[in-house]
């Protein structure tokens, strides 16, 4: 068992604030010597304001990106990040979805889901976009790996949907 300190005081590129809810995805295409793990996590930027960042880790456990890369920062509270995994060579399945929940700009107390696509090599391919938006809260996203459905690459996002009297998936 190896323990890796990826984001704490004393580690290069460390962000101030507490870190929460890490999730790890990766590039499972092992025929390529350049396959990486991608760590997404939540950072307490200030009281009541959390942001979403990611870092990449090489196969030997060293940091590929020293400084965390921001996905969602600002005045809205972002939390509960989830990342899928890619499963193929560059050009075939070379992106992975990261999803998180964010307080709504439309309604106090409402939460919506947001996402971004990151390439297998850590480049931000498609920046933050809204996944859900309605008067109910959507929380705790869980992102699948990549599937090829009729030649189209897809990823599923499962989440809780708050229907006043109960939550549905």
């Amino acid at each position: 068992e190896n323990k890796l300190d990826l984001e704490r005081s004393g580690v290069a590129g460390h962000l101030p604030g507490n870190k929460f809810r890490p999730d790890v995805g990766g590039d499972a295409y092992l025929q390529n010597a350049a396959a990486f793990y991608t760590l997404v996590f939540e950072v307490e930027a200030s009281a009541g304001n959390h942001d979403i960042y990611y870092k990449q880790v090489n196969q030997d456990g060293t940091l590929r990106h020293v400084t965390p890369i921001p996905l969602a920062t600002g005045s809205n509270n972002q939390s509960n990040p989830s990342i899928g995994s890619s499963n193929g060579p560059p050009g075939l399945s070379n992106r992975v979805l990261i999803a998180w929940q964010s307080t709504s700009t439309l309604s106090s107390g409402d939460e919506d889901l947001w996402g971004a696509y990151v390439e297998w090599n850590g480049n931000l391919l498609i920046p933050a976009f809204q996944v859900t938006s309605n008067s109910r809260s959507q929380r705790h996203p869980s992102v699948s790996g990549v599937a090829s459905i009729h030649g189209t690459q897809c990823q599923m996002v499962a989440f809780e949907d708050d229907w006043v009297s109960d939550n549905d998936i």
Side-chain angles (χ1 to χ4, degrees), residues 94-159:
N94 62 358
R95 65 184 189 176
V96 62
L97 178 62
I98 298 173
W100 62 91
Q101 69 190 53
S102 178
T103 53
S104 175
T105 56
L106 302 175
S107 167
S108 177
D110 181 26
E111 294 180 282
D112 298 318
L113 298 185
W114 285 75
Y117 279 103
V118 174
E119 288 184 296
W120 67 276
N121 59 6
N123 293 329
L124 183 58
L125 182 63
I126 300 174
F129 60 90
Q130 198 160 10
V131 175
T132 66
S133 175
N134 60 41
S135 60
R136 301 179 312 275
S137 286
Q138 294 82 45
R139 298 184 191 97
H140 303 109
S142 181
V143 180
S144 74
V146 176
S148 179
I149 300 173
H150 304 294
T152 301
Q153 295 173 9
C154 302
Q155 285 186 272
M156 180 188 289
V157 179
F159 56 91

Side-chain angles (χ1 to χ4, degrees), residues 76-93:
N76 286 2
N77 187 50
Q78 294 90 4
S79 60
N80 293 304
S82 176
I83 185 171
S85 58
S86 63
N87 63 355
L92 176 62
S93 178

Side-chain angles (χ1 to χ4, degrees), residues 61-79:
T62 59
L63 290 175
R64 181 158 188 273
H65 295 122
V66 175
T67 303
I69 300 167
L71 277 177
T73 61
S75 59
N76 286 2
N77 187 50
Q78 294 90 4
S79 60

Side-chain angles (χ1 to χ4, degrees), residues 26-43:
D27 176 16
Y29 188 66
L30 299 179
Q31 294 176 1
N32 183 351
F36 311 105
Y37 299 102
T38 303
L39 169 71
V40 63
F41 56 97
E42 180 180 329
V43 176

